[in-house]
Amino acid sequence: MHVQIVLFDGFDPLDVIAPYEVLHAGGAASGGAVQVELVSAEGPRDVVSGTGGLALRATAALDPGRAGVVLVPGASGPVGEPGEVPDEEASEPTVPVLLGRTLSTPLPALLKGALDNPAMTVGAVCGGSLVLALSGLIEARPATTHHLGLDLLDATGVHAVHARVVDDGDLVTSAGVTSGLDLALHLLEREVGPRIAHAVEELFAYERRGTVWRAQGPEPTRL
């Protein structure tokens, strides 16, 4: 399984590093069955996060034609007040501004190519789901994001689900920041096997939280 984790200006570092470490450890535990790299829409470059100027190096351009997984993080910055109009001129851009800026980059077209690729799974952590939604790529599909963004996700026409991880086949999304651990472990279990995922859980002394939501089984009655 080859995994491309996307960096964009203002990304949230934990959305990237948490799944990177889990997936890298899964590769080590599986004898190289998982390879993970950091990419950007523009190609190799240093990409500055939204947290204190911390930068990570993208070593390649996002390739939507490969088989494997593309993982989109969210952004880091002030959240802003509900209903507040994003201010592009603010000295410290809010999360909605940072996510919105990705729409004017090559990223949406590349993500569309990834979703159109039958050999590709697209994953998203936290606000990464909103990048996909605001690009018009996941309308009517079930997905989740940080709890503060669920209303916006729903407003884009996505079926917003209040769950830690939502698995819709070739689209796997997760909620707030630390849920990137759960998403990566779920992908390891799904694509490589539960014994590898369990070994990584033991190594990191971390147990996954919540039930992975899938559109399967009977519709629950109102509780």
Side-chain angles (χ1 to χ4, degrees), residues 142 161 163 165-169 186 189-190 211-218:
V161 181
V165 176
V166 172
D167 185 335
D168 192 39
H186 173 64
E189 180 180 23
R190 194 182 87 165
T211 299
V212 175
W213 187 98
R214 298 179 180 88
Q216 299 174 359

Side-chain angles (χ1 to χ4, degrees), residues 126-218:
C126 198
S129 303
L130 290 169
V131 172
L132 295 165
L134 293 169
S135 301
L137 299 176
I138 56 172
E139 187 174 354
R141 299 192 64 172
T144 192
T145 188
H146 192 287
H147 65 90
L148 293 176
L150 284 170
D151 286 345
L152 176 57
L153 189 66
D154 188 69
T156 66
V158 173
H159 172 39
V161 181
H162 197 290
R164 184 84 168 166
V165 176
V166 172
D167 185 335
D168 192 39
D170 65 346
L171 175 67
V172 184
T173 56
S174 65
V177 191
T178 57
S179 65
L181 293 164
D182 302 85
L183 180 145
L185 286 164
H186 173 64
L187 287 173
L188 277 182
E189 180 180 23
R190 194 182 87 165
E191 303 297 332
V192 185
R195 295 175 68 181
I196 297 300
H198 181 257
V200 175
E201 280 189 337
E202 284 197 309
L203 176 65
F204 286 8
Y206 176 81
E207 294 183 359
R208 280 175 285 176
R209 294 171 50 195
T211 299
V212 175
W213 187 98
R214 298 179 180 88
Q216 299 174 359

Side-chain angles (χ1 to χ4, degrees), residues 39-172:
V39 302
S40 82
E42 299 80 10
R45 67 184 182 102
D46 292 328
V47 187
V48 179
S49 76
T51 303
L54 175 69
L56 293 177
R57 177 75 179 170
T59 57
L62 171 58
D63 181 0
R66 291 195 68 158
V69 176
V70 167
L71 190 59
V72 186
S76 176
V79 174
E81 296 299 323
E84 180 182 350
V85 177
D87 183 2
E88 281 281 353
E89 305 303 321
S91 58
E92 188 175 7
T94 62
V95 167
V97 167
L98 293 169
L99 295 176
R101 286 178 181 173
T102 66
L103 305 183
S104 60
T105 73
L107 183 57
L110 292 169
L111 293 176
K112 182 181 186 306
L115 283 165
D116 289 343
N117 179 356
M120 184 74 80
T121 294
V122 175
V125 182
C126 198
S129 303
L130 290 169
V131 172
L132 295 165
L134 293 169
S135 301
L137 299 176
I138 56 172
E139 187 174 354
R141 299 192 64 172
T144 192
T145 188
H146 192 287
H147 65 90
L148 293 176
L150 284 170
D151 286 345
L152 176 57
L153 189 66
D154 188 69
T156 66
V158 173
H159 172 39
V161 181
H162 197 290
R164 184 84 168 166
V165 176
V166 172
D167 185 335
D168 192 39
D170 65 346
L171 175 67
V172 184

